[in-house]
Amino acid sequence: MVASSASFVESPTLDRDCTTLSRHVLQQLQSFEAEAQDISAIMNRIALAGKLIARRLSRAGLMEGVLGFTGEENVQGESVKKMDVYANDVFISVFKQSGLVCRLASEEMEKPYYIPENCPVGRYTLLYDPIDGSSNVDINLNVGSIFSIRQQEGEDLNGEAEDLLQDGHKQLAAGYILYGPSTMLVYSIGKGVHSFILDPSLGEFILAEENIVMPSHGKIYSVNEGNFWQWEDSIREYIRYMHRHDGYTARYSGALVGDLHRILTQGGVFLYPGTQKKPEGKLRLLYETAPLAWLIEQAGGKASTGTQPLLDFVPTMLHQRTPAILGSTEDVELVESFIREGLRQVVQTV
Ligand code: P6P
């Protein structure tokens, strides 16, 4: 006898276990149109990249040739870890023969990588930091991948991908994968911020939390105070304020994705200011601070360079760096107030 559908009791647990990333994207877009299917398929490929990277990280200490340095330097002048190269290649491989993504721009590659078979039809570009915080890999601490998806504009005939040099509002989707005690994928397509946790027994990212909203204030400030004497005095004054007033605590891991995820979920502020020698700071705009800024603002927080909204910043080069102040609105505005006061005093002394 075939059981009728009426005999099945609605099971929220079963429904949640079936809420995979690709299904969630289509639910978000409330559409089965071509672009919605494309974004859903792209997110699915990003999820596959996350699974492959998580699997390698989980065995890194047991396998030959996974940990340590390659002996090369990347375009940033940073020593390249073997895991950086592997993760970079994973994101390229998952998009081959997909027809979706024509170009990939990565922290690890000086120029964008083109996937020829996709380019005639693929109108999307993936910008990514394949493994952020890779110095943590060899000591088994959390690392992350950061991604941003943009629509290609024009034909990019000279292969310079100049259409990518636009502000962060041009992003179609953005997010990160946090490789921690569990592997978590957090994303937004402009309709709120949602988190998924990899269930290894299913091999699927399953919905964990929908519509994450940041508190307007949090007690955490996250910054590398080892740079204290490199900063502008306004930032030093802000840090002194944090030291002198109750209700604040410092948390900093040196890995952006984990530090940002803490702020997204608990409130507070993450900052990587510029220094007197490098006013633009260390973090890269197109595949680090712009995607994270988009998420933070989608969750009701604020993202600033210190003097302008981070998402308004227009890069002049692919590996553009910007100062970054990301977090709860009240806490970001407190940092901005110190910077404004500092600028006012500079103007007064001129
Ligand atoms: P610092 C890692 O190298 C990274 O790009 C981010 O993950 C992190 O937030 C930052 O650099 C840490 O830099 O100067 O504090 O060691």
Side-chain angles (χ1 to χ4, degrees), residues 132-133 224 227 252 254-256 270 272 282-284 288:
D132 181 83
N224 182 348
N227 297 327
Y252 190 76
L256 176 57
F270 171 91
Y272 204 105
K282 173 179 183 180
L283 301 180
R284 277 65 51 151
E288 286 179 328

Side-chain angles (χ1 to χ4, degrees), residues 34-337:
E35 180 173 342
Q37 297 284 4
D38 284 351
I39 299 293
S40 176
I42 289 171
M43 290 304 302
N44 220 22
R45 308 308 283 174
I46 289 172
L48 174 59
K51 295 177 207 173
L52 289 165
I53 293 167
R55 183 178 68 175
R56 191 158 179 104
L57 286 169
S58 69
R59 302 173 179 165
L62 300 174
M63 294 168 67
E64 289 299 317
V66 176
L67 298 178
F69 293 92
T70 63
E72 305 290 325
E73 266 195 3
N74 64 15
V75 64
Q76 322 291 341
E78 296 165 344
S79 300
V80 178
K81 304 296 281 288
K82 292 172 185 172
M83 198 62 213
D84 288 323
V85 174
Y86 173 80
N88 194 66
D89 293 349
V90 162
F91 277 95
I92 292 171
S93 300
V94 298
F95 281 105
K96 287 188 171 174
Q97 296 303 326
S98 68
L100 292 163
V101 166
C102 166
R103 304 175 303 187
L104 295 93
S106 159
E107 177 187 284
E108 299 301 330
M109 301 187 292
E110 184 176 1
K111 299 283 187 189
Y113 182 96
Y114 291 74
I115 304 179
E117 69 271 18
N118 291 350
C119 288
V121 292
R123 302 302 297 164
Y124 300 97
T125 300
L126 178 75
L127 299 104
Y128 66 115
D129 182 357
I131 288 284
D132 181 83
S134 55
S135 57
N136 277 356
V137 169
D138 294 2
I139 53 174
N140 196 32
L141 293 183
N142 68 277
V143 292
S145 302
I146 307 171
F147 59 86
S148 171
I149 299 165
R150 295 188 181 217
Q151 187 101 38
Q152 178 171 331
E153 294 182 8
E155 295 313 309
D156 186 13
L157 297 175
N158 62 6
E160 293 296 322
E162 286 157 348
D163 61 293
L164 294 178
L165 303 184
Q166 298 190 66
D167 66 49
H169 299 288
K170 285 287 187 178
Q171 296 176 99
L172 293 177
Y176 56 79
I177 302 166
L178 175 58
Y179 309 98
S182 67
T183 297
M184 181 177 271
L185 187 148
V186 178
Y187 90 105
S188 177
I189 52 173
K191 297 174 180 290
V193 178
H194 318 287
S195 68
F196 288 71
I197 292 177
L198 179 62
D199 180 337
S201 66
L202 285 175
E204 285 287 357
F205 281 96
I206 301 300
L207 180 63
E209 189 175 352
E210 271 193 313
N211 300 316
I212 297 170
V213 176
M214 294 187 70
S216 59
H217 165 64
K219 66 180 183 180
I220 296 169
Y221 70 101
S222 184
V223 66
N224 182 348
E225 295 200 36
N227 297 327
F228 186 85
W229 291 109
Q230 313 303 320
W231 292 329
E232 295 294 335
D233 196 50
S234 58
I235 300 293
R236 288 201 288 267
E237 280 306 306
Y238 165 73
I239 296 296
R240 292 185 184 108
Y241 181 93
M242 291 290 105
H243 293 168
R244 291 173 181 143
H245 289 74
D246 286 344
Y248 295 102
T249 189
R251 290 287 184 277
Y252 190 76
S253 77
L256 176 57
V257 172
D259 287 333
L260 196 279
H261 185 68
R262 181 188 293 114
I263 298 298
L264 177 72
T265 50
Q266 298 177 354
V269 60
F270 171 91
L271 54 158
Y272 204 105
T275 61
Q276 285 141 2
K277 287 180 189 167
K278 290 186 177 177
E280 75 282 357
K282 173 179 183 180
L283 301 180
R284 277 65 51 151
L285 176 67
L286 284 172
Y287 41 77
E288 286 179 328
T289 55
L292 299 181
W294 206 53
L295 283 181
I296 286 285
E297 297 212 345
Q298 280 288 318
K302 190 169 186 182
S304 169
T305 64
T307 55
Q308 72 175 101
L310 206 147
L311 289 177
D312 291 351
F313 193 99
V314 179
T316 57
M317 62 187 83
L318 190 62
H319 300 290
Q320 173 82 49
R321 299 171 193 258
T322 65
I325 303 162
L326 310 167
S328 299
T329 301
E330 290 174 22
D331 302 309
V332 171
E333 288 175 351
L334 180 62
V335 182
E336 289 178 319
S337 68

